[in-house]
């Protein structure tokens, strides 16, 4: 019997980088969005409580499905085992991660 896969999705959201885990990730029914369902929090044998993971868990506590804009997605990995969900604040000057530039009318 094969194990059900788990996906790690890393994406930009309001100046922060989110790293979350879900059982189901696919192209959403809404054009330009990735759909995440069955969000997974908490390591199975984790005794240490991580405040960033708790913040994520409370932020997404009543969410059954979330849609992430495709241009916000950095990476999606199919994993053997779950890690810890987290939020990382980044400074555009100090990190290697840059948000995708958005088109503005007139090229400004």
């Amino acid at each position: 019997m094969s194990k059900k896969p788990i996906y790690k999705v890393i994406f930009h959201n309001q100046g922060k980088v989110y790293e979350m885990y879900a059982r189901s990730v696919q192209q959403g029914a809404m054009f330009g969005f990735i759909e995440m369902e069955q969000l997974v929090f908490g390591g199975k044998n984790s005794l240490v409580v991580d405040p960033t993971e708790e913040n994520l868990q409370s932020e997404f506590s009543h969410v059954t499905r979330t849609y992430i804009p495709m241009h916000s997605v950095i990476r999606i990995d199919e994993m053997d085992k779950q890690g810890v969900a987290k939020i990382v604040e980044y400074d555009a000057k100090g990190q290697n991660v840059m948000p995708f530039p958005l088109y503005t009318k007139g090229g400004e």
Side-chain angles (χ1 to χ4, degrees):
M1 185 164 134
S2 66
K3 290 173 37 174
K4 195 171 186 184
I6 189 162
Y7 299 93
K8 176 172 70 172
V9 181
I10 304 171
F11 60 95
H12 296 280
N13 184 29
Q14 299 177 351
K16 298 176 184 174
V17 176
Y18 283 53
E19 185 174 305
M20 295 179 57
Y21 293 84
R23 293 277 176 207
S24 175
V25 176
Q26 64 246 355
Q27 182 175 339
M30 289 190 286
F31 183 73
F33 287 83
I34 299 295
E35 187 176 300
M36 288 176 58
E37 289 183 281
Q38 301 173 8
L39 302 176
V40 181
F41 297 100
K44 295 186 180 201
N45 296 326
S46 178
L47 295 175
V48 179
V49 178
D50 185 3
T52 57
E53 187 174 35
E54 283 186 351
N55 291 342
L56 271 173
Q57 192 169 3
S58 65
E59 181 178 341
F60 290 93
S61 64
H62 300 291
V63 174
T64 55
R65 179 180 302 136
T66 188
Y67 296 90
I68 316 251
M70 281 186 189
H71 66 272
S72 295
V73 175
I74 298 170
R75 183 177 176 155
I76 300 173
D77 295 324
E78 185 174 335
M79 307 292 290
D80 292 333
K81 61 182 181 175
Q82 176 190 340
V84 177
K86 57 188 165 187
I87 302 172
V88 179
E89 290 196 41
Y90 70 93
D91 174 12
K93 295 176 186 169
Q95 298 284 334
N96 293 330
V97 179
M98 290 288 295
F100 192 78
L102 299 175
Y103 173 78
T104 58
K105 191 172 184 179
E108 297 175 4

